[in-house]
Amino acid sequence: MRAQTSTVRTVECCGMMSGKDAALMRMAVEKILMAGMALAISLPLCAQTSAYRAPRAEGGKPDLNGVWQVLNEANYDLEGHNARPAMAVRPGPYGPVPAAQVLALGAVGAVPPSLGVVEGGEIPYKPEALKQKQENQANWLSRDPEIKCYLPGVPRATYIPQPFRILQSASQLFIAYQYAGAVRNIYLKDPGPAPVDSWMGQSVGRWEGDTLVVDVTGFNDSTWFDRAGNFHSDALHVTERYRRTSPDVIAYEATIEDPKVFTRPWKISMPLYRRQEKNAQILDFKCVEFVEELMYGQYRKNPLSR
Amino acid sequence: MRTTFWKIALGVAVVVIAVLIDGAGVKAHHAFGSEFDANAPVLLKGKIAKIEWVNPHTWIHVEIKKDDGSKETWMVEGGSPNTLLRRGANKSTFPEGTDVVVDGYQARDHSEKRANARNVTFPDGRKLFLGMTGTGAPDPEKFDADKAKTLNQTEKDKEKEQEKKQ
Amino acid sequence: MRRLLTACTGMTVLLLVNAHLGTAQTATSKSNASKVRRTADGHPDLQGMYDLATLTPVERPMGAPAAYSKEEARKRESAAAKQRQQGDQALDGNRTAPPKGGDGSVGAAGNVGGYNTGWLDPGSSLTVVDGQARSSIVIDPADGRVPAMTPAARQRTMTAAFRSRPTSDTQESNDPGLEKAPGAYDDPERRPLGERCLLGFGSTSGPPALPDYFYNNLHQIVQTPDTVMILSEMVHDARIIRMNAEHVPKNIRLWMGDSVGHWEGDTLVVDTTNFSNKTRFRGSTENLHVVERFTRVDDKSLLYRFTIEDPDTWSRPWTGEYTWPATDGKIYEYACHEGNYALVDILKGARLREKEAAAPRGSTRQ
């Protein structure tokens, strides 16, 4: 430890190694990089700072490029829950049963169980807001924006169980989601407050060490956090953190702040897994087409039975 | 002589565009003839209650006072907001209470208080977004063909040009 | 612990800076085109925000030369500017409502006058390629027009069934109206893709990506070693181009097709197949094949060239090109479907008209 400490002091004090060592190192680095690799050299020093050190993308930051997807039940309900008969239920003689509109789906329409992804377990609603959430949940079919293929917002876009692609270069950072073709351009330079509200918000990213921190503001109040009626106002502010913890995993966290709805900020966390298939990619899920019958079918010249 | 469907369509489009351009400066968009009723013209003089800066069309909510003194709110349909946002508009640009005059035609379903924003002006007749169109309309008399040739005017260049003219 | 991290980061940055400088120098000496900025892997950096708006139409107007003289270009751009100014002119604050029975605007304006031109951003100049102010985007065939369709394609596109379905190149202004195209309002599926918020009007995302002559022509390019992404503002469509990859299987079809890319020198070549049968660009089939070429012209612009082929539609391939100038503008969210009140009113309106038309004489109307 002592030898390492003295090396650290040297580095810290002078900003670089001794002149001769620096020249040798530069030659070695240039040789490797000339072969076309723009990866950082993993020095013994650095190997000790964290369990995993991600390769670097162009621009020198941990490389988040790839096709990623969650493996959890967060989109059903962020909070821990037992399995449920359906997302829309009604009172039965011995407990809730699926609502009539979803009855035909049978087990396909049931909700799987989850230990939850909310730190502390419960979402800290203000009392009136909690009533609103319960009303939302009771009226899921008519209110969940996901049903109408509306843009999912943040962080829901992350854990809708469909893949998304992160694109990262030296000058740009972008996320393309398969679900509804949702997109997010992440500004690397703060453009100032968003001029108008939007479904996906305005994302501004910065690096704190090896963690990408994304500040998202400028939301409208129209998205939900999940299929359980969890919601927010237009005062929503989301802070995401992305950090690679292994070759195929990003540790993802999102802190939710909304003083109109919650008593304090709260946090969710989950791993993002790299899709392993050789040709992993996002395809089309343009669900707008799929909801036309639902939303406009009654206005056809010859409507189908409903 | 057989002509292709596309040649016919092109012909129609050319005529349509030509007529639109010669019209009273208003441009058209999809299906307006189906959405609105040409037999139900409206003139709204009131205050902006809210602007929904949404796509594909901005909706301006205008609160008017009816003859009997009661208030009524109409929604009038404009264009996409994105162009205006790029010219500097934001949700505070036209605050609640701004007086406007809107002429247009009511939605076919007359139970809906909706109309197209055929013209949206201030009470003095200036078009609502006039101040923001300064980025792309050089004075034809002073037009510089060489400058246009570079064709890579960024928004900043356009702004500078406008400033020079003022 | 933090000092260690700082040291590591500092060292890494230092090495990367050295490496980057080294690599850049190598790329420059290799290519001799040192003006073009490059990514670390040596390819031209195509990234940025571009505004595709232009006065140049897709096809050459009858009688026009391939390139306008300075005088002619100036005249056209002046005329466009004049129209803009006319559209921005103030009205009478004490004006009356527009005339009952409509204001005479035809076509898609539907006799109700649409909305003010101030909402539009249709481009103010002709596209300039190789110093020429072009009269059309199509450059091959030499007459600047899309070639003739095959006889089979002509038959196919002339049927009522075909004409009742939209195509991806439909412009905002292309609405024949209730009288001219019966059935055009029967179902949402008959409405233009842009009106349904499935794709932007006029093949703005394509491919091929064409200018929209109304507004929202911004496109963003993001470039990584194995993927290039092109975002079209309408309808927030992100086209993913997988570099040096194979196309997806034949049964997988996509709204913007499946794009794979590779570099030929300093040109990005993108090959797109596997189109869905719902787009029918300019009447084509799902066998449409588009090859695009992106080249950086200078620090502020790209040259975009595309070749279209579909032996089931056109007698020969055809090619177009135009310049993509960089812009400082930002792309804003175009959440079309989420705000699509209009489509409901359009369909409802058609149903009301039908009811009125069917109502016996003398019955009260709303």
Side-chain angles (χ1 to χ4, degrees):
Chain A
M1 202 57 195
R2 208 147 61 106
Q4 286 151 2
T5 315
S6 68
T7 315
V8 167
R9 258 201 230 116
T10 310
V11 170
E12 171 194 29
C13 143
C14 310
M16 58 182 81
M17 298 180 200
S18 70
K20 187 173 171 203
D21 286 344
L24 281 170
M25 181 63 75
R26 186 178 294 141
M27 271 169 55
V29 166
E30 278 185 342
K31 280 204 182 105
I32 291 165
L33 286 165
M34 292 296 200
M37 303 288 287
L39 299 173
I41 307 299
S42 190
L43 299 169
L45 267 170
C46 291
Q48 288 174 13
T49 62
S50 59
Y52 175 72
R53 184 180 157 72
R56 270 37 199 168
E58 186 177 337
K61 299 303 180 189
D63 192 345
L64 299 178
N65 278 294
V67 179
W68 306 88
Q69 188 169 341
V70 302
L71 262 176
N72 61 31
E73 304 72 32
N75 191 47
Y76 282 101
D77 188 344
L78 291 179
E79 292 175 318
H81 56 273
N82 294 308
R84 297 190 190 120
M87 286 170 279
V89 296
R90 60 178 153 169
Y94 300 97
V97 295
Q101 300 99 314
V102 299
L103 188 60
L105 286 173
V108 172
V111 177
S114 163
L115 294 173
V117 296
V118 179
E119 204 177 80
E122 273 184 9
I123 297 173
Y125 279 105
K126 294 173 140 173
E128 332 78 67
L130 181 58
K131 289 206 195 95
Q132 177 70 59
K133 175 253 156 92
Q134 288 160 347
E135 238 180 80
N136 284 349
Q137 188 165 26
N139 291 284
W140 174 73
L141 275 169
S142 58
R143 293 193 189 183
D144 186 353
E146 186 189 354
I147 289 178
K148 297 201 180 80
C149 182
Y150 285 161
L151 289 172
V154 177
R156 192 175 190 181
T158 310
Y159 47 81
I160 291 228
Q162 296 202 27
F164 56 89
R165 190 187 273 271
I166 299 180
L167 294 119
Q168 176 186 353
S169 70
S171 59
Q172 317 243 22
L173 195 48
F174 194 94
I175 309 183
Y177 300 87
Q178 179 173 283
Y179 178 79
V183 299
R184 291 168 64 193
N185 178 47
I186 301 179
Y187 289 106
L188 297 175
K189 214 171 81 168
D190 194 338
V196 295
D197 295 342
S198 62
W199 291 73
M200 300 301 291
Q202 175 177 275
S203 296
V204 181
R206 66 181 189 277
W207 288 90
E208 286 179 4
D210 276 10
T211 301
L212 173 68
V213 181
V214 185
D215 256 297
V216 200
T217 55
F219 288 104
N220 61 28
D221 63 359
S222 303
T223 69
W224 278 12
F225 290 123
D226 57 25
R227 294 173 177 171
N230 289 308
F231 73 106
H232 60 86
S233 77
D234 61 4
L236 177 66
H237 172 206
V238 179
T239 309
E240 297 172 300
R241 299 180 112 79
Y242 299 77
R243 181 182 168 77
R244 286 186 62 179
T245 53
S246 80
D248 299 316
V249 178
I250 292 176
Y252 174 81
E253 282 177 8
T255 301
I256 315 286
E257 292 172 73
D258 189 339
K260 288 192 196 171
V261 178
F262 310 111
T263 56
R264 57 168 174 79
W266 49 282
K267 197 161 87 166
I268 61 171
S269 59
M270 60 192 72
L272 311 179
Y273 296 100
R274 186 191 296 280
R275 289 288 299 251
Q276 294 292 293
E277 299 89 336
K278 202 172 70 128
N279 301 320
Q281 60 192 273
I282 60 173
L283 297 173
D284 277 352
F285 189 72
K286 270 188 181 288
C287 43
V288 169
E289 186 193 9
F290 307 148
V291 299
E292 282 184 326
E293 178 57 39
L294 173 67
M295 295 176 70
Y296 312 122
Q298 71 224 81
Y299 304 116
R300 292 182 188 284
K301 183 162 187 186
N302 300 305
L304 305 172
S305 62
R306 292 176 87 77
Chain B
M1 181 175 98
R2 277 172 105 188
T3 51
T4 64
F5 166 67
W6 291 107
K7 288 210 161 86
I8 293 171
L10 173 69
V12 169
V14 166
V15 170
V16 162
I17 289 167
V19 174
L20 292 175
I21 284 169
D22 287 342
V26 299
K27 274 263 158 82
H29 204 274
H30 74 231
F32 268 46
S34 174
E35 200 180 345
F36 300 105
D37 184 355
N39 290 318
V42 294
L43 183 80
L44 306 168
K45 284 189 177 176
K47 295 182 184 291
I48 292 180
K50 156 164 98 159
I51 300 184
E52 285 183 74
W53 295 90
V54 297
N55 283 293
H57 298 281
T58 306
W59 288 89
I60 303 173
H61 297 239
V62 181
E63 188 186 74
I64 60 169
K65 243 200 223 151
K66 297 197 338 197
D67 291 331
D68 62 7
S70 65
K71 293 201 182 131
E72 192 172 72
T73 302
W74 282 66
M75 283 170 69
V76 298
E77 183 177 359
S80 167
N82 295 22
T83 300
L84 301 178
L85 298 180
R86 273 188 281 281
R87 290 174 185 160
N90 61 53
K91 59 185 175 183
S92 315
T93 302
F94 303 105
E96 230 179 275
T98 303
D99 286 297
V100 291
V101 178
V102 182
D103 69 80
Y105 293 86
Q106 186 174 13
R108 284 201 179 268
D109 181 351
H110 294 181
S111 70
E112 298 209 54
K113 301 282 168 269
R114 287 189 192 175
N116 64 312
R118 180 174 175 271
N119 286 301
V120 188
T121 69
F122 294 110
D124 66 3
R126 280 179 305 128
K127 301 225 168 100
L128 206 68
F129 307 109
L130 175 62
M132 319 201 113
T133 59
T135 53
D139 183 339
E141 299 308 283
K142 300 200 187 95
F143 187 77
D144 184 343
D146 285 334
K147 185 163 187 191
K149 240 188 156 176
T150 63
L151 225 241
N152 288 325
Q153 283 186 311
T154 62
E155 290 297 305
K156 264 200 210 122
D157 288 344
K158 288 176 182 170
E159 271 167 42
K160 282 196 198 127
E161 187 183 278
Q162 186 61 19
E163 273 170 48
K164 260 193 246 165
K165 289 183 160 67
Q166 281 169 354
Chain C
M1 196 60 179
R2 202 190 283 154
R3 275 193 238 139
L4 214 53
L5 264 166
T6 315
C8 272
T9 316
M11 178 70 68
T12 311
V13 168
L14 183 73
L15 289 168
L16 274 167
V17 167
N18 282 337
H20 178 73
L21 286 173
T23 315
Q25 279 156 18
T26 308
T28 305
S29 53
K30 265 193 204 156
S31 70
N32 289 329
S34 49
K35 280 191 234 164
V36 173
R37 66 173 185 274
R38 292 170 186 277
T39 55
D41 53 9
H43 299 299
D45 186 342
L46 303 179
Q47 296 178 100
M49 202 72 77
Y50 301 92
D51 188 346
L52 276 47
T54 178
L55 290 176
T56 302
V58 174
E59 290 189 284
R60 191 167 304 153
M62 295 296 194
Y68 291 117
S69 64
K70 261 198 206 185
E71 248 328 289
E72 186 58 35
R74 186 207 120 106
K75 264 205 306 201
R76 282 168 183 272
E77 286 162 1
S78 283
K82 220 173 189 170
Q83 268 157 29
R84 297 284 306 266
Q85 289 188 330
Q86 273 171 5
D88 291 336
Q89 261 159 33
L91 301 174
D92 181 356
N94 292 314
R95 62 187 182 278
T96 55
K100 183 162 171 153
D103 65 2
S105 50
V106 298
N111 204 17
V112 296
Y115 48 74
N116 291 122
T117 55
W119 293 96
L120 303 179
D121 189 9
S124 48
S125 9
L126 297 161
T127 194
V128 175
V129 182
D130 291 336
Q132 304 179 313
R134 296 283 178 85
S135 61
S136 65
I137 290 177
V138 175
I139 55 165
D140 177 57
D143 67 355
R145 315 292 299 247
V146 176
M149 281 189 163
T150 63
R154 260 195 297 248
Q155 279 205 309
R156 179 180 77 230
T157 58
M158 291 293 272
T159 62
F162 178 88
R163 292 168 69 176
S164 72
R165 296 302 304 276
T167 61
S168 62
D169 56 292
T170 305
Q171 299 279 341
E172 283 93 335
S173 42
N174 275 14
D175 189 352
L178 286 157
E179 292 80 18
K180 293 209 179 78
Y185 296 84
D186 283 3
D187 303 281
E189 293 87 344
R190 292 179 189 246
R191 304 306 306 152
L193 300 177
E195 194 173 292
R196 295 160 72 193
C197 294
L198 286 167
L199 283 176
F201 281 97
S203 191
T204 177
S205 61
L210 297 178
D212 181 288
Y213 295 91
F214 268 52
Y215 46 50
N216 294 348
N217 275 291
L218 268 65
H219 288 58
Q220 176 182 3
I221 297 182
V222 179
Q223 181 180 337
T224 76
D226 64 8
T227 315
V228 175
M229 190 285 306
I230 305 180
L231 174 72
S232 310
E233 185 161 19
M234 303 193 289
V235 180
H236 62 74
D237 278 310
R239 181 152 63 108
I240 306 285
I241 300 161
R242 295 171 298 115
M243 298 300 293
N244 307 306
E246 282 178 13
H247 280 301
V248 293
K250 284 211 182 92
N251 68 314
I252 303 297
R253 315 306 292 194
L254 296 109
W255 286 87
M256 294 188 283
D258 174 57
S259 295
V260 296
H262 68 276
W263 288 95
E264 279 174 18
D266 278 354
T267 297
L268 172 67
V269 182
V270 179
D271 189 291
T272 307
T273 59
N274 294 70
F275 283 92
S276 131
N277 62 3
K278 293 168 183 163
T279 43
R280 293 181 291 272
F281 172 70
R282 293 191 73 102
S284 58
T285 71
E286 59 188 8
N287 297 322
L288 179 66
H289 177 211
V290 182
V291 179
E292 299 158 287
R293 304 181 107 83
F294 296 81
T295 320
R296 180 164 279 294
V297 174
D298 57 38
D299 205 46
K300 282 190 161 191
S301 48
L302 304 181
L303 176 64
Y304 173 72
R305 178 187 279 219
F306 60 88
T307 298
I308 310 290
E309 73 181 301
D310 182 2
D312 293 332
T313 304
W314 292 290
S315 47
R316 48 166 279 186
W318 50 280
T319 297
E321 66 179 8
Y322 62 111
T323 303
W324 286 22
T327 178
D328 288 338
K330 294 188 179 60
I331 290 182
Y332 292 102
E333 181 174 272
Y334 192 83
C336 185
H337 169 64
E338 292 74 7
N340 205 2
Y341 303 118
L343 185 53
V344 171
D345 287 346
I346 288 165
L347 295 170
K348 257 210 273 187
R351 303 290 84 81
L352 279 167
R353 265 189 70 130
E354 285 153 7
K355 235 203 237 169
E356 282 166 20
R361 281 182 196 282
S363 66
T364 41
R365 282 190 352 180
Q366 254 186 318

